[in-house]
């Protein structure tokens, strides 16, 4: 299966799945019932051995990557050392389990991984994995022992260092004990802040840690193989990966764009499952009670009286608990807003068929509320992904907007991870008459120029495109084409920078007789280039008018991946752009900045950016209850003040606390979109960025 763009389902799949593997790989495969008798269960760690099919799979993977990967690969000692380091990082990137002596003992193997992978003999990886299992059991048993005595949350300056990525490996068990004392006390304080007494806290945490040990005992050979092969794959290139048979099945489910569940995208952050986004119109979205950044801390089926605590669970386990047949119900216990406060909500959701294509494009009419443009209209086309037949939907939306006497269109690509390359080309063709859209260079050196040649413009009027740091791949191709043709002004943040092409290929052959399947690989076969010759890799698309952002581009997206392919350029394609008027961009930027400094919503944004930069290098959280309560009150007071300031500007009644039912009008506040509308009106006044051609209206 050729995924030329791959950025829609797969970009999200790769990021979410890889993160899940690296954070909570050892939390087991089977969901554990809340009623399991953990106290009396004898837990024995498994003896792990490589299975026959894994030797064959390793040989096929190394041969395939060497032969067909875009990057020229040499499996040697240098690569072996990188695989070794990445393997340890996946197993214990936050340095919570291994000791420095463990690393030293295994360091003699750091130049043997190349031969092990090439020959399909991975015993060294299994030895390291088993050692890590033992270290993890020791740590969780120590955590349980700390619950014998209630913690004192008044100890001055006590804190939990949660980010140890740059720390040294602990030199002794006593040093690691201190790390875990902090961690367990942190868990206990969170529960106390959620109104749990000490007896309840003991019970919850004992079960949590005991359950973690139980999941260690469920580890199997496939877990080890998946880990080491992803260490190998990701050492080659950032978007290259191995998918286990189970992950392959889930990938196919994603590609089929249909599953039964609640319609939420999840990821793991530390020990928590976090709602990343909601599928528009899905069950979770329709409930109105689930929001991005909520943490799922408990799950119960419709007939369960108690919730299963899922803190520390592996992502696929949580997914298995949440998804289910259409018409059945699932109950979620949510820690709201990504906070560590006591705001816990319980939500019951009726599962339904969720078609990811239902996240289809939609259009709205923006009417300027006041000022010199009062009453004027713009069309807003929101595109969440580049799905099959997107361009057909967009043609209809454009025709509908034209009937509303709009003066311009804003295409909103914020949060759009990409999708189908053909759709990016078709979409571009709706706004230009003909010409190249993107260039693709393959590993052989062959360059393909993908073009739109229909000669039809469905909309030739003023056009702006909104992007953010989550806009990737196909989104970047469209935005870059509009920018290179000088067809639209690009507004927002620097985009993700994913400029590579992936291919999905199963490892199983028709003549295989293995009891278990071999899974599949995802590997890079090409790179995207703009029609001006520059790659979208790493750099992404730089907006013409840049919005304020807390995140430096080097800390986000492709630039943050140490094995990402580099930026480069090829020869410019042959195309004719509209007249480039740099003075227009400068004028619009000056007007934007003048408005932004007066806009109260942008003031909030500037304040949040300053707060983020102030604390961005902070890697700890206080374990003093009074300090946490004071911090919570300060944050809630700040949030409440903002809410009431907004309500006052909207002419709505004020509220006394954040738990009150807040009006939906607050959810509609989007300062970035409102300012994009202002910029678009400014652009219209200049008479720039429009095609003087006859446009087609479909019938």
């Amino acid at each position: 299966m050729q995924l030329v763009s791959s950025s829609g389902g797969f970009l999200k799949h790769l990021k979410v799945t890889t993160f899940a593997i690296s954070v909570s790989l050892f939390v087991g495969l089977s969901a554990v019932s809340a009623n399991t008798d953990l106290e009396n269960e004898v837990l024995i760690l498994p003896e792990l051995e490589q299975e026959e099919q894994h030797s064959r799979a390793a040989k096929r993977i190394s041969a395939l990557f060497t032969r067909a990967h875009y990057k020229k690969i040499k499996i040697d000692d240098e690569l072996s050392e990188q695989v070794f380091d990445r393997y340890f990082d996946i197993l214990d990137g936050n340095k919570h389990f291994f000791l420095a002596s463990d690393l030293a003992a295994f360091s003699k193997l750091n130049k043997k991984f190349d031969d092990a992978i090439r020959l399909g003999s991975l015993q060294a990886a299994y030895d390291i994995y088993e050692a890590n299992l033992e270290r993890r059991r020791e740590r969780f048993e120590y955590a349980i022992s700390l619950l014998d005595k209630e913690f004192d949350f008044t100890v001055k300056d006590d804190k939990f260092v949660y980010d140890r990525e740059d720390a040294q490996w602990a030199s002794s068990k006593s040093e690691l004990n201190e790390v875990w004392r902090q961690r367990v006390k942190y868990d206990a304080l969170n529960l106390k802040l959620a109104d749990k007494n000490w007896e309840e806290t003991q019970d919850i945490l004992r079960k949590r840690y005991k359950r973690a040990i139980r999941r260690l005992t469920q580890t199997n050979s496939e877990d080890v193989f998946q880990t080491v092969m992803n260490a190998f794959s990701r050492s080659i290139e950032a978007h290259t990966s191995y998918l286990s048979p189970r992950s392959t099945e889930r990938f196919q489910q994603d590609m089929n764009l249909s599953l039964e569940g609640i319609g939420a995208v999840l990821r793991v952050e530390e020990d928590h499952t976090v709602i990343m986004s909601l599928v528009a119109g899905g069950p979770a979205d329709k409930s109105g009670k689930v929001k991005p950044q909520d943490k799922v801390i408990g799950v119960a089926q419709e007939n369960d009286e108690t919730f299963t605590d899922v803190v520390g669970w592996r992502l696929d386990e949580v997914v298995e608990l949440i998804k289910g047949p259409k018409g059945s119900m699932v109950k979620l216990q949510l820690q709201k807003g990504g906070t560590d406060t006591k705001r816990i909500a319980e939500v019951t959701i009726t599962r339904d068929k969720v078609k990811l294509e239902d996240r289809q494009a939609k259009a709205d009419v923006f009417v300027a509320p006041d000022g010199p443009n009062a009453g004027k209209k713009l069309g807003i086309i929101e595109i969440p992904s580049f799905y099959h037949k997107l361009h057909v939907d967009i043609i209809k939306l454009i025709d509908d907007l034209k009937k509303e006497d709009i003066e311009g269109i804003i295409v909103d690509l914020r949060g759009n991870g990409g999708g189908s390359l053909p759709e990016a080309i078709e979409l571009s063709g709706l706004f230009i008459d003909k010409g190249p859209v993107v260039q693709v260079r393959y590993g052989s050196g062959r360059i393909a120029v993908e073009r739109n040649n229909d000669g039809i413009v469905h909309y030739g009027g003023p056009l702006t495109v909104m992007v953010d740091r989550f806009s990737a791949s196909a989104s970047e191709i469209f935005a870059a084409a509009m920018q290179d043709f000088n067809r639209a002004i690009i507004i927002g943040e620097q985009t993700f920078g994913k400029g590579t092409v992936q291919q999905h290929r199963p490892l199983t052959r028709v003549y295989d007789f293995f009891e278990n399947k071999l899974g599949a690989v995802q590997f890079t076969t090409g790179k995207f280039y703009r029609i001006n010759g520059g790659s979208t890799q790493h750099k992404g698309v730089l907006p013409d008018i840049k919005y304020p952002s807390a995140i430096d581009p080097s800390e986000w997206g492709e630039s943050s991946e140490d094995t990402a392919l580099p930026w480069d350029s090829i020869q410019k394609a042959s195309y004719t752009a509209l007249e480039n008027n740099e003075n227009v961009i400068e004028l619009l930027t000056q007007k934007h900045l003048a408005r932004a400094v007066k806009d109260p919503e942008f003031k909030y944004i500037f304040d949040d950016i300053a707060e983020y930069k102030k604390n961005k290098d902070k890697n700890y959280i206080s374990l003093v209850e009074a300090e946490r309560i004071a911090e919570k009150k300060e944050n809630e007071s700040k949030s409440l003040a903002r809410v009431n300031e907004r309500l006052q500007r909207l002419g709505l009644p004020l509220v006394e606390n954040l738990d009150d039912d807040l009006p939906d009008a607050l959810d509609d506040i989007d300062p970035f979109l409102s300012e994009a509308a202002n910029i678009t009106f400014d652009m219209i006044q200049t008479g720039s960025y429009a095609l003087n051609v006859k446009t087609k209206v479909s019938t």
Side-chain angles (χ1 to χ4, degrees):
M1 181 192 303
Q2 179 75 32
L3 296 180
V4 181
S5 172
S6 82
S7 55
F10 180 64
L11 176 62
K12 292 175 181 175
H13 176 88
L14 177 66
K15 290 297 175 185
V16 173
T17 302
T18 304
F19 193 78
I21 291 170
S22 65
V23 173
S24 31
L25 177 66
F26 294 90
V27 201
L29 296 175
S30 304
V32 181
S33 168
N35 297 320
T36 301
D37 184 3
L38 295 171
E39 291 298 325
N40 300 318
E41 191 173 13
V42 177
L43 302 175
I44 301 174
L45 295 179
E47 294 183 7
L48 300 171
E49 294 182 356
Q50 179 177 321
E51 297 176 6
E52 182 182 0
Q53 74 271 14
H54 293 145
S55 177
R56 181 71 58 87
K59 293 176 184 178
R60 288 180 183 174
I61 292 170
S62 59
L64 178 61
F65 288 174
T66 304
R67 182 181 69 253
H69 202 284
Y70 180 85
K71 182 178 179 180
K72 302 308 177 187
I73 300 165
K74 187 176 182 181
I75 302 180
D76 55 12
D77 286 352
E78 182 180 355
L79 180 60
S80 178
E81 291 176 334
Q82 295 172 18
V83 175
F84 176 86
D85 291 342
R86 192 171 298 273
Y87 189 52
F88 260 80
D89 188 58
I90 293 175
L91 294 181
D92 190 13
N94 220 21
K95 300 179 177 67
H96 277 159
F97 301 101
F98 276 131
L99 295 168
S101 57
D102 295 320
L103 185 63
F106 285 116
S107 62
K108 62 181 182 295
L109 301 174
N110 67 348
K111 293 184 178 180
K112 298 184 181 297
F113 272 66
D114 54 335
D115 295 330
I117 292 169
R118 188 189 302 110
L119 299 175
S121 179
L122 301 166
Q123 189 56 49
Y126 280 76
D127 292 342
I128 295 171
Y129 202 105
E130 284 191 326
N132 191 258
L133 287 180
E134 183 58 44
R135 288 290 185 231
R136 285 173 177 264
R137 180 170 68 175
E138 289 174 2
R139 289 297 99 209
F140 287 122
E141 287 176 345
Y142 179 72
I144 292 171
S145 73
L146 292 176
L147 299 173
D148 293 338
K149 182 181 179 181
E150 185 172 359
F151 288 105
D152 180 359
F153 296 113
T154 65
V155 179
K156 187 178 179 181
D157 296 329
D158 201 6
K159 60 188 178 183
F160 168 46
V161 180
Y162 54 81
D163 183 1
R164 288 176 41 81
E165 184 178 355
D166 296 326
Q168 298 295 315
W169 295 94
S171 59
S172 64
K173 285 190 176 182
S174 61
E175 186 178 336
L176 207 50
N177 285 347
E178 171 57 17
V179 173
W180 276 79
R181 181 199 66 80
Q182 296 175 12
R183 176 170 172 171
V184 176
K185 188 173 181 180
Y186 169 76
D187 287 345
L189 179 54
N190 285 343
L191 290 171
K192 185 174 185 183
L193 293 173
D195 287 340
K196 300 295 183 184
N197 61 38
W198 177 241
E199 289 72 22
E200 291 172 319
T201 296
Q202 283 178 303
D203 182 59
I204 291 171
L205 293 184
R206 278 203 180 100
K207 287 180 178 177
R208 183 182 297 177
Y209 303 145
K210 192 77 172 182
R211 193 177 292 118
I213 297 173
R214 186 180 192 275
R215 295 190 191 102
L216 298 180
T217 70
Q218 298 172 332
T219 305
N220 58 40
S221 180
E222 181 63 47
D223 293 326
V224 187
F225 185 73
Q226 178 170 265
T227 307
V228 68
M229 295 316 297
N230 271 302
F232 169 54
S233 301
R234 297 297 298 280
S235 294
I236 292 171
E237 191 266 337
H239 295 286
T240 298
S241 64
Y242 164 74
L243 304 178
S244 69
R246 185 170 182 174
S247 296
T248 301
E249 181 182 349
R250 188 177 302 112
F251 175 80
Q252 293 297 342
Q253 198 174 54
D254 287 346
M255 291 307 299
N256 291 334
L257 299 179
S258 179
L259 54 91
E260 290 182 352
I262 65 169
V265 178
L266 309 176
R267 74 175 176 191
V268 171
E269 292 181 358
E270 290 298 324
D271 289 329
H272 289 89
T273 299
V274 181
I275 306 286
M276 275 183 70
S277 61
L278 303 176
V279 177
D285 183 40
K286 289 179 180 178
S287 76
K289 298 178 180 179
V290 182
K291 303 292 183 184
Q293 296 306 309
D294 287 350
K295 295 178 181 178
V296 181
I297 61 175
V299 180
Q301 306 309 317
E302 54 188 303
N303 296 321
D304 292 344
E305 295 182 1
T306 59
F307 283 87
T308 298
D309 175 54
V310 296
V311 176
W313 281 42
R314 177 168 157 162
L315 184 63
D316 56 3
E317 274 194 312
V318 180
V319 171
E320 286 299 318
L321 280 184
I322 293 176
K323 74 178 186 180
K326 177 180 178 180
S328 63
M329 289 190 293
V330 63
K331 294 181 283 188
L332 303 182
Q333 200 172 51
L334 302 173
Q335 194 165 289
K336 299 298 292 179
T339 66
D340 291 314
T341 71
K342 64 180 181 181
R343 287 192 67 213
I344 305 296
E346 295 182 4
V347 182
T348 299
I349 300 173
T350 301
R351 300 178 178 105
D352 200 354
K353 195 78 171 179
V354 180
K355 290 187 177 180
L356 302 187
E357 280 196 13
D358 286 346
R359 296 188 66 203
Q360 64 187 128
K362 61 182 180 181
D364 288 308
V365 175
F366 177 92
V367 182
D370 49 34
N373 299 308
K376 294 182 178 180
K377 298 178 181 179
L378 294 174
I380 312 295
I381 298 179
E382 181 182 346
I383 304 177
S385 67
F386 283 77
Y387 55 85
H388 182 52
K389 293 188 177 180
L390 165 68
H391 73 284
V392 176
D393 290 345
I394 299 299
I395 290 172
K396 183 179 185 306
L397 294 177
I398 289 174
D399 291 346
D400 291 342
L401 289 172
K402 287 177 180 177
K403 297 173 185 176
E404 299 288 340
D405 295 324
I406 57 165
E407 298 192 19
I409 286 179
I410 300 173
V411 174
D412 188 351
L413 296 178
R414 290 176 295 172
N416 185 324
S420 166
L421 173 62
E423 288 298 334
I425 296 167
E426 294 280 4
L427 181 67
S428 300
L430 302 184
F431 302 100
I432 60 173
D433 54 353
K434 60 182 178 179
V437 174
V438 66
Q439 303 183 85
V440 185
R441 182 169 68 181
Y442 296 97
S444 63
R446 180 177 68 89
I447 296 175
V449 181
E450 304 291 344
R451 313 175 64 88
N452 169 75
N453 290 318
D454 63 9
I456 299 172
V457 178
H458 286 270
Y459 177 74
L463 181 69
T464 55
V465 179
M466 292 185 70
V467 295
D468 64 10
R469 63 180 183 271
F470 298 99
S471 305
S473 204
S475 291
E476 294 172 297
I477 289 169
F478 171 75
M482 295 300 98
Q483 192 176 54
D484 290 345
F485 273 106
N486 294 323
R487 177 64 185 89
I489 288 179
I490 313 301
I491 303 169
E493 295 177 290
Q494 184 171 335
T495 61
F496 190 91
K498 182 184 181 294
T500 55
V501 184
Q502 276 73 46
Q503 185 179 102
H504 178 85
R505 187 175 296 185
L507 296 171
T508 303
R509 306 288 183 261
V510 293
Y511 51 78
D512 286 335
F513 295 99
F514 298 115
E515 182 178 347
N516 299 314
K517 295 182 179 180
L518 302 186
V521 288
Q522 196 86 17
F523 63 103
T524 297
T525 59
K527 288 180 72 175
F528 292 126
Y529 293 85
R530 301 170 64 137
I531 56 176
N532 71 6
S535 174
T536 54
Q537 176 68 2
H538 260 294
K539 287 187 178 181
V541 177
L542 277 66
D544 298 304
I545 298 178
K546 189 175 181 181
Y547 277 160
S549 176
I551 308 297
D552 187 279
S554 65
E555 300 171 345
W556 175 257
E558 204 75 4
S559 297
S560 65
E561 298 283 355
D562 60 343
T563 57
L565 294 179
W567 181 91
D568 61 353
S569 62
I570 61 174
Q571 186 173 342
K572 174 183 175 180
S574 177
Y575 68 99
T576 302
L578 298 175
E579 181 181 354
N580 182 12
N581 190 342
E582 293 183 2
N583 292 333
V584 170
I585 299 292
E586 184 177 351
L587 173 64
L588 299 186
T589 300
Q590 290 174 354
K591 289 188 172 184
H592 154 64
L593 294 175
R595 281 189 298 267
V597 296
K598 299 177 182 178
D599 188 330
E601 291 295 334
F602 270 83
K603 182 180 185 304
Y604 297 152
I605 294 167
F606 291 133
D607 289 345
D608 289 343
I609 290 173
E611 183 71 16
Y612 170 81
K613 290 183 176 180
K614 176 183 175 183
N615 295 311
K616 64 175 297 217
D617 295 325
K618 180 181 176 182
N619 66 346
Y620 65 87
I621 188 168
S622 173
L623 294 176
V624 181
E625 182 180 8
E627 292 178 6
R628 290 283 294 279
I629 291 174
E631 180 181 327
K632 170 180 172 291
K633 288 181 177 179
E634 181 182 354
N635 291 336
E636 289 183 345
S637 175
K638 178 180 176 181
S639 297
L640 181 61
R642 284 190 182 181
V643 165
N644 280 324
E645 287 169 6
R646 285 169 170 150
L647 290 174
Q648 187 173 33
R649 288 195 293 272
L650 292 169
L652 297 173
L654 306 187
V655 296
E656 294 185 2
N657 61 71
L658 297 173
D659 291 326
D660 290 348
D661 287 333
L662 301 178
D664 293 338
L666 292 176
D667 294 330
D668 296 332
I669 295 175
D670 186 346
F672 289 140
L673 179 59
S674 297
E675 178 56 19
N678 289 328
I679 293 170
T680 306
F681 283 126
D682 289 343
M683 181 187 73
I684 291 169
Q685 292 175 2
T686 70
S688 304
Y689 294 88
L691 285 170
N692 295 317
V693 297
K694 184 177 181 180
T695 62
K696 177 181 174 65
V697 178
S698 61
T699 58

